[in-house]
Amino acid sequence: MSLTTFPVPAPRSSMLVRRRIATYFVGGVDRIPGLVDALGCLVHDLSVDVRDGVRESTMTCAVLIAADEVEPLLDRLRSLDAVMSSELL
């Protein structure tokens, strides 16, 4: 009789946590797809506020991410030319 073995997933170095992020950006609705792509993780409760006559727009969302990946995510968002600031709420 042969025993079947199944791969055991490697343990995660850190658990996923839910973090709320606010990103302030310029360039209007054309910039939204690039911002969402830059998040690169599971996104919940995405909200975007773009208004005529206002220089900066706001994107807020909750992301499910490992704790040690939060700062790299914020740095990635901040590196985009349209982003004025990005921070945890």
Side-chain angles (χ1 to χ4, degrees):
M1 165 164 55
S2 159
L3 295 176
T4 304
T5 60
F6 297 97
V8 177
R12 292 190 68 89
S13 60
S14 60
M15 294 185 60
L16 297 179
V17 292
R18 185 179 165 119
R19 297 282 192 243
R20 290 196 49 77
I21 295 175
T23 302
Y24 303 92
F25 65 99
V26 295
V29 296
D30 294 337
R31 298 301 184 140
I32 296 169
L35 294 170
V36 173
D37 285 345
L39 291 170
C41 56
L42 188 56
V43 178
H44 299 272
D45 304 324
L46 178 68
S47 173
V48 180
D49 185 14
V50 178
R51 297 179 189 206
D52 285 335
V54 177
R55 184 180 188 302
E56 289 183 10
S57 301
T58 307
M59 178 181 77
T60 58
C61 63
V63 295
L64 192 57
I65 191 169
D68 60 344
E69 296 174 4
V70 173
E71 281 304 316
L73 169 61
L74 292 173
D75 290 341
R76 188 167 58 246
L77 286 167
R78 292 171 184 147
S79 72
L80 298 174
D81 61 343
V83 173
M84 305 310 290
S85 69
S86 190
E87 58 200 39
L88 290 176
L89 292 178

